Amino acid sequence: QFSLVLVNIDPDVAVHQAVPVQVVITEAKPKRIALGIGYSSNNGARSEVNYANRNFMQRALNLNSSVRLEQNRQSIATSIDTVADENGYVLSWGAVGEATHIAGLQTARDKIGVTRSHTQGQIETRLGLNFQQEQRKPLGGTNQLVQALVPDWQWQRRAIDDLLYPRNGHVSELRLGGASRYWLSDRDFLRSYARQQFWWPLGE
């Protein structure tokens, strides 16, 4: 929510037992637009527009949206996140649409979802529900339409010395999801994921 934060103290050694701390903050502008152009060897020329609003609908909702156009791929995405409530819960909604035409195969993919996350100390949990639909049209082949409604649960524990530049500690992560043909899905499946990551410092 801030573009600049400055923390200052009086460097006088005589007052080192109780140094007054001065904090100066500059609030970030609520709206931002970013434009970009580029070129890649696999998708050719591209252009992109990103829009962010940190006070969407005057309710402190965080809106992020983007439109990306490439020669072989086009996509549009948007997400809305609430700020954490008094219990540390954040609610997020998202939608993504993507179309590709690569090597004679056309695909159209749509995805919508909602996630509720909670952070307490070193532990973060997420519970979400996502619906995804994909249509494939191969040149000279049979069209296919697949879809899945997937509940997803994620648990993560970060026991590290620094969130941005960790040098010591570990991260543990578990994730479970699945789908049923009785609930807007083409197949029954169960998905699981586990990760354990360690850091050891080589010196001071």
Side-chain angles (χ1 to χ4, degrees):
Q1 304 299 320
F2 305 104
S3 62
L4 181 65
V5 179
L6 297 176
V7 182
N8 300 313
I9 64 171
D10 185 353
D12 189 355
V13 179
V15 295
H16 73 279
Q17 296 274 350
V19 180
V21 179
Q22 181 186 36
V23 181
V24 179
I25 62 175
T26 302
E27 187 176 4
K29 293 183 178 181
K31 299 178 182 179
R32 179 178 61 87
I33 296 179
L35 306 175
I37 58 173
Y39 181 85
S40 60
S41 59
N42 55 342
N43 287 321
R46 69 175 183 272
S47 60
E48 187 171 0
V49 178
N50 292 276
Y51 173 75
N53 189 336
R54 307 302 181 196
N55 191 23
F56 184 57
M57 298 177 63
Q58 303 297 315
R59 298 185 62 183
L61 297 173
N62 187 8
L63 169 70
N64 286 284
S65 58
S66 66
V67 176
R68 186 167 185 168
L69 303 177
E70 300 176 88
Q71 289 181 336
N72 299 325
R73 187 191 310 266
Q74 301 82 42
S75 64
I76 182 171
T78 186
S79 64
I80 298 176
D81 306 315
T82 66
V83 295
D85 62 15
E86 61 273 12
N87 297 315
Y89 286 95
V90 175
L91 196 60
S92 304
W93 299 268
V96 178
E98 183 183 64
T100 64
H101 191 181
I102 301 174
L105 175 63
Q106 294 185 29
T107 61
R109 183 182 300 111
D110 303 302
K111 182 179 179 180
I112 58 174
V114 59
T115 302
R116 190 187 191 197
S117 59
H118 179 253
T119 302
Q120 186 173 13
Q122 298 177 341
I123 295 178
E124 179 182 354
T125 56
R126 291 174 177 265
L127 183 63
L129 184 65
N130 297 283
F131 177 74
Q132 180 169 318
Q133 182 175 272
E134 180 175 293
Q135 186 174 14
R136 305 168 187 159
K137 297 180 179 180
L139 184 63
T142 304
N143 295 348
Q144 292 180 323
L145 178 64
V146 293
Q147 63 184 28
L149 179 67
V150 182
D152 190 59
W153 173 82
Q154 184 178 7
W155 178 90
Q156 188 175 78
R157 181 176 183 267
R158 297 185 183 94
I160 50 180
D161 58 346
D162 191 298
L163 290 176
L164 294 179
Y165 304 104
R167 297 183 69 247
N168 192 12
H170 68 272
V171 172
S172 306
E173 182 179 355
L174 295 173
R175 190 167 182 175
L176 293 173
S180 171
R181 285 178 292 181
Y182 296 101
W183 296 95
L184 300 177
S185 301
D186 295 325
R187 299 176 179 273
D188 300 325
F189 69 85
L190 180 65
R191 178 182 62 203
S192 62
Y193 174 83
R195 177 171 68 101
Q196 184 68 48
Q197 192 168 7
F198 294 93
W199 286 267
W200 292 284
L202 296 178
E204 294 296 332

